């Protein structure tokens, strides 16, 4: 790998597993020093907490194995005070912050008429409020440092409806506007803001269909390339958008989805010609 990120510091939220972990490791391999954010599940079972801690340790170990420095930072991104403290710690530890990857995200499945309001609020709190809070803190630092980059890890579901996941779809739609608004507001001040829109990806959050051959086949039939994506493919796109090779790119969402946003039902023409 080249050293596109030599000397740079990147904060990756939700970096303990899946796409966030892949991005953290990819950037480390290209020279970045990486702050890996995670949050311990305060109300979950001890077994779940142990698994989270194990994933975090594996990510940090992988970053260090790539020859880079990793800093572990625990924070609930939906909490303004915790986000401010996390950002301050990263800057204090590394002496700088060059890029933010807003990757932290959760989803809750429920028919909308039965969706608990608290669950809706919780999803928006992490996915959208969290992205705003982290971006706000990063932008404040970037303005004093002469520039920086923000990458919002969104989803194809910022444009493709996802029934039974209303909070998730709404949060990702909001993230699309967060990306474009911030990009326009700060373009003249050396700050680039872009989005990454993964399609169906093999990650722990998707274990319910990834590990089930029947359900996985059903998912992949909807994808023009007929396969799910890998987290490494998302990380490669993220690395491009954060690099100087994308210096003239801002306000864009790059969909890495095997064609899922191409209206796949029209793959075979069924409308009048």
């Amino acid at each position: 790998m080249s050293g596109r990120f030599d000397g740079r510091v990147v904060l990756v939220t939700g970096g303990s597993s899946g796409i966030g972990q892949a991005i953290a490791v990819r950037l480390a391999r290209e020279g970045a020093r990486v702050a890996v954010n995670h949050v311990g599940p305060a109300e979950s079972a001890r077994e779940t907490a142990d698994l989270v801690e194990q994933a975090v340790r594996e990510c940090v170990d992988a970053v260090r194995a790539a020859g880079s420095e990793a800093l572990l930072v625990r924070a609930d991104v939906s909490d303004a005070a915790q986000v401010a403290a996390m950002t301050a710690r990263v800057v204090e530890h590394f002496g700088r912050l060059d890029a933010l990857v807003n990757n932290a995200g959760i989803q809750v499945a429920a028919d909308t008429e039965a969706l608990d309001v608290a669950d809706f609020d919780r999803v928006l709190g992490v996915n959208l409020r969290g992205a705003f809070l982290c971006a706000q803190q990063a932008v404040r630092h970037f303005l004093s440092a002469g520039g920086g980059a923000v990458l919002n890890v969104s989803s194809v579901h910022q444009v493709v409806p996802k029934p039974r996941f209303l909070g998730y779809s709404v949060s990702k739609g909001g993230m699309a506007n967060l990306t474009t608004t911030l990009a326009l507001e700060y373009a003249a001040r050396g700050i680039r803001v872009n989005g990454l829109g993964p399609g169906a990806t093999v990650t722990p959050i998707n274990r319910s269909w990834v590990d089930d051959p029947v359900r996985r086949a059903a998912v992949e039939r909807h994808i023009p390339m007929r396969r799910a994506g890998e987290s490494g493919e998302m990380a490669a796109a993220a690395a491009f958008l954060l690099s100087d090779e994308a210096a003239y790119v801002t306000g864009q969402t790059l969909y890495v989805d095997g064609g899922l946003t191409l209206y796949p039902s029209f793959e075979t023409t069924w409308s009048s010609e």
Side-chain angles (χ1 to χ4, degrees):
M1 292 287 184
S2 64
R4 288 189 293 182
F5 299 98
D6 285 351
R8 299 188 189 182
V9 174
V10 183
L11 169 60
V12 181
T13 70
S16 63
S17 66
I19 293 173
Q21 183 181 66
I23 291 173
V25 173
R26 173 67 184 244
L27 297 179
R29 286 176 178 161
E30 296 199 42
R33 293 174 289 169
V34 184
V36 180
N37 156 260
H38 76 111
V39 58
E43 298 178 0
S44 60
R46 184 67 251 170
E47 179 182 358
T48 302
D50 289 343
L51 289 173
V52 170
E53 294 294 340
Q54 179 183 348
V56 169
R57 287 194 299 271
E58 289 174 354
C59 181
V60 171
D61 289 345
V63 169
R64 290 171 178 160
S68 186
E69 180 183 358
L71 174 68
L72 184 61
V73 282
R74 183 192 293 264
D76 177 354
V77 297
S78 68
D79 185 295
Q82 291 188 41
V83 170
M86 172 181 68
T87 307
R89 184 183 174 199
V90 172
V91 173
E92 179 182 10
H93 180 85
F94 289 112
R96 60 189 296 167
L97 177 64
D98 300 285
L100 164 70
V101 178
N102 269 322
N103 173 75
I106 60 173
Q107 58 184 3
V108 174
D111 292 332
T112 299
E113 75 271 16
L115 178 62
D116 192 298
V117 173
D119 285 334
F120 179 84
D121 289 343
R122 183 162 58 93
V123 172
L124 263 68
V126 173
N127 298 9
L128 187 54
R129 174 184 165 89
F132 154 68
L133 291 173
C134 292
Q136 183 182 56
Q137 289 294 325
V139 164
R140 288 172 178 170
H141 177 74
F142 295 158
L143 288 172
S144 63
V150 176
L151 179 65
N152 293 321
V153 180
S154 184
S155 167
V156 294
H157 295 295
Q158 72 177 42
V159 292
V160 178
K162 190 176 185 181
R164 301 194 71 250
F165 291 85
L166 182 67
Y168 186 81
S169 291
V170 169
S171 71
K172 296 306 183 180
M175 183 174 275
N177 200 289
L178 177 72
T179 297
T180 54
T181 300
L182 289 177
L184 182 58
E185 186 171 355
Y186 293 103
R189 286 182 271 183
I191 299 172
R192 296 188 304 108
V193 185
N194 287 296
L196 179 69
T201 309
V202 179
T203 62
I205 198 174
N206 291 324
R207 288 262 78 95
S208 62
W209 62 262
V210 168
D211 295 334
D212 182 328
V214 174
R215 296 183 69 183
R216 180 165 181 164
V219 169
E220 293 180 333
R221 278 197 300 271
H222 291 282
I223 304 170
M225 290 183 70
R226 299 297 190 270
R227 69 172 180 85
E230 299 290 338
S231 58
E233 293 173 306
M234 310 305 148
F240 164 71
L241 288 171
L242 290 168
S243 75
D244 290 341
E245 293 174 271
Y248 202 51
V249 180
T250 195
Q252 307 303 308
T253 294
L254 174 59
Y255 293 103
V256 186
D257 64 356
L260 192 58
T261 50
L262 297 175
Y263 299 96
S265 66
F266 281 88
E267 186 176 9
T268 301
T269 300
W270 53 263
S271 60
S272 59
E273 295 182 305

